[in-house]
Amino acid sequence: MLRPKIPTNPTPTGVTIPIPIEPTAIAQRPPAPAPAAVPAAPVSSRPTVQLTPSAVIGGTAVVLVVGAVLVSMLLAVAITAASVAVCALVVRSVLTSQKRR
C-alpha cells in the first residue's frame, strides 16, 4: 500500500571536465622575536623543608590515627541509628497491639 520512494542519483548527462589544480605559493612567516630575559627569582630567607624518615613515619601515624577515629565515629553513628530504628519498630508494634485488645 505505502511504498517508500528511494531517491536515485541522476547519471551525468554531459562530459565531465577535470579541473586542474595549480600549486599555490607558501607564505613565509617572519622569524619569532627572541624571548626577553627572565629575571632571577629572589632568594628566600626561610629554610627549606627537609623530609626525614622520622617525620614521614610520624605523619603517617597521625593520618592513620585520625582515620581510625573518624571511621569509629561513623560506625558509632550507624549503630545508634540502627538501634533507634529497632526501638521505634518495637514501640510501634506495642502500641498497635494495645489498640487491638
Side-chain angles (χ1 to χ4, degrees):
M1 190 161 120
L2 297 174
R3 294 187 184 195
K5 294 182 180 180
I6 301 174
T8 58
N9 292 333
T11 57
T13 57
V15 178
T16 57
I17 301 171
I19 300 172
I21 300 174
E22 298 177 5
T24 58
I26 299 174
Q28 295 289 333
R29 292 185 183 175
V38 179
V43 178
S44 176
S45 61
R46 296 185 304 177
T48 58
V49 176
Q50 294 181 355
L51 293 177
T52 59
S54 62
V56 172
I57 292 172
T60 304
V62 168
V63 168
L64 289 177
V65 168
V66 169
V69 168
L70 291 177
V71 167
S72 63
M73 288 173 63
L74 180 65
L75 185 61
V77 169
I79 291 172
T80 304
S83 64
V84 168
V86 169
C87 289
L89 288 176
V90 169
V91 168
R92 182 174 137 189
S93 173
V94 168
L95 291 177
T96 55
S97 68
Q98 286 181 354
K99 287 181 181 178
R100 290 181 188 168
R101 290 183 183 178

